[in-house]
Amino acid sequence: MEKTLIEIKDQAEAEFNQEHYHQAADLFVTVYQEEQSLAVNRQLVLALKEDQQYQLAKDYATDFLSDYAQHENLFLLYFDLLLQIQNFVSAQQWTLQSPNQALIEDLLAQIRGSERKAEDQQGQTLKTIAQHFYHLSDESMVAQQERYQQAFHLPVATFVTGAKFLLVDPFASPLMRSTLLSDLQELGETGGVTYQWLDQQRYQIDLQAILPLFSNQSFQKLVAALDDQVGQEDPIAYQALLDQLRLEAMLLFPRLEESILDATAWVDADLSAFYQEQAPEEEAKQKQAHDLVLQALSELAG
């Protein structure tokens, strides 16, 4: 006779209490497949953590990331997982979301300590990762993404140095440069940074002086225009165009205000292209920016 979900859950909790963490984790996975609640997620993540399956625990925790951000015990659990897998960049970005300044200072000190330990024990490996990151643009788009993800395991100061170098690397993709700008902003970098934009020109900006990408008013106006013009009349078109607008905004970052002068006209143009209709006219400066974005998207797709 098959066990009920409640019986499996009770057995998982019993195994956990007896410190049989591997068995507990396997049972909680079974429960979680049927009951994807925050409570079960937490139990599963804790069991995996105790079983030293840190990466898998972190992956499951991301299912309820907004909840983990709002509850201090879960916030600290997710932080600990990031530190265990030596994802120092994400650990600092996560830490800086806390409203508790004393907690931020404590967690940043923990990150610095873990970085020093990693440099002492894995110095050559970190040097290799840093070298690959700094020369990221030598590789294909797939390899670039792999090197970028590996770079999150670098000490934050090393990551920042590499990111600032890549911001002015003409061979780095525009999407990678804008992604790195957002990363630096989330790492709390202050002062001016120089970056190369879609038009191949270099600009300087203080990232803390502007809103994060998806909080930007220009992006929100694009979404509002899409809501007005498509809404739920064509859900497939809406989702496809929303994804496109997010990608376009990423490519434009941090020059959204200078590029999107009329959000309705911008969305009109994207809608016309989606439905393969005659594109409406855009203001010359906006059309120039829009053409640069579409060219970058074409290169990404190609």
Side-chain angles (χ1 to χ4, degrees), residues 10 18 51 100 121 126 141 170 174 189 200 214 219 232 284:
D10 288 344
Q18 294 172 48
D51 195 37
N100 184 334
Q121 297 178 350
L126 292 174
M141 288 301 294
E189 279 297 298
Q200 310 306 321
F214 297 121
F219 174 71
Q232 294 307 306

Side-chain angles (χ1 to χ4, degrees), residues 2 10 26 62 64 66 93-94 100 103 120 138 140 157 168 196-197 204 215 231 236 244 249 261 268 284:
E2 287 190 10
D10 288 344
D26 286 346
T62 58
F64 286 88
S66 61
Q93 292 172 331
W94 181 252
N100 184 334
L103 179 63
D120 289 342
D138 296 345
S140 67
V168 292
Q196 183 161 314
W197 194 61
Q204 191 170 55
S215 301
I236 294 174
Q244 180 174 330
L261 307 177
D268 276 344

Side-chain angles (χ1 to χ4, degrees), residues 13-282:
E13 290 172 352
E15 295 285 5
F16 186 91
N17 291 334
Q18 294 172 48
E19 299 183 4
H20 300 158
Y21 299 121
H22 189 76
Q23 294 90 326
D26 286 346
L27 290 165
F28 277 128
V29 166
T30 301
V31 176
Y32 191 62
Q33 287 171 346
E34 299 298 324
E35 184 188 326
Q36 294 191 2
S37 66
L38 175 60
V40 176
N41 177 280
R42 176 180 172 275
Q43 290 176 304
L44 171 57
V45 169
L46 282 170
L48 288 167
K49 174 177 176 279
E50 293 299 332
D51 195 37
Q52 298 183 9
Q53 297 189 62
Y54 302 119
Q55 182 64 53
L56 188 56
K58 179 254 181 189
D59 292 343
Y60 273 112
T62 58
D63 290 348
F64 286 88
L65 203 53
S66 61
D67 295 284
Y68 276 71
Q70 291 170 27
H71 300 88
E72 189 166 298
N73 63 326
L74 295 177
F75 186 91
L76 292 173
L77 172 57
Y78 191 72
F79 171 82
D80 190 41
L81 294 172
L82 291 171
L83 221 53
Q84 290 287 354
I85 61 175
Q86 297 184 335
N87 191 326
F88 302 122
V89 172
S90 292
Q92 179 154 319
Q93 292 172 331
W94 181 252
T95 294
L96 294 177
Q97 293 182 53
S98 172
N100 184 334
Q101 191 58 42
L103 179 63
I104 288 175
E105 291 173 9
D106 176 52
L107 297 186
L108 289 177
Q110 289 186 46
I111 295 170
R112 300 290 87 83
S114 294
E115 288 173 339
R116 287 192 292 272
K117 185 177 178 181
E119 288 177 310
D120 289 342
Q121 297 178 350
Q122 305 158 40
Q124 189 54 53
T125 299
L126 292 174
K127 284 180 183 177
T128 301
I129 293 172
Q131 189 75 5
H132 287 168
F133 180 47
Y134 294 178
H135 295 90
L136 174 147
S137 63
D138 296 345
E139 299 296 325
S140 67
M141 288 301 294
V142 172
Q144 283 188 35
Q145 189 62 27
E146 290 174 356
R147 289 186 172 195
Y148 166 71
Q149 294 295 338
Q150 279 296 310
F152 273 58
H153 298 281
L154 292 169
V156 171
T158 307
F159 178 89
V160 167
T161 298
K164 288 182 177 179
F165 171 77
L166 288 167
L167 288 180
V168 292
D169 180 354
F171 300 105
S173 74
L175 185 59
M176 181 57 67
R177 292 197 297 263
S178 64
T179 299
L180 289 169
L181 281 168
S182 288
D183 287 335
L184 291 174
Q185 189 177 47
E186 291 172 17
L187 283 168
E189 279 297 298
T190 57
V193 294
T194 302
Y195 65 96
Q196 183 161 314
W197 194 61
L198 289 170
D199 59 3
Q200 310 306 321
Q201 300 299 311
R202 291 187 177 184
Y203 300 89
Q204 191 170 55
I205 194 167
D206 180 351
L207 289 172
Q208 297 311 311
I210 59 170
L211 285 170
L213 172 56
F214 297 121
S215 301
N216 187 287
Q217 191 176 30
S218 293
F219 174 71
Q220 292 177 346
K221 285 180 179 178
L222 287 177
V223 176
L226 182 62
D227 287 342
D228 288 342
Q229 296 180 62
V230 180
Q232 294 307 306
E233 291 178 14
D234 188 342
I236 294 174
Y238 181 87
Q239 190 58 52
L241 287 162
L242 180 60
D243 291 343
Q244 180 174 330
L245 289 177
R246 289 176 68 89
L247 195 50
E248 289 176 343
M250 287 176 69
L251 288 164
L252 291 169
F253 185 74
R255 299 184 60 77
L256 274 75
E257 288 87 351
E258 296 89 340
S259 305
I260 303 169
L261 307 177
D262 183 339
T264 300
W266 187 287
V267 171
D268 276 344
D270 281 353
L271 267 172
S272 298
F274 182 83
Y275 288 117
Q276 297 182 327
E277 298 172 351
Q278 181 66 37
E281 283 297 318
E282 291 181 271

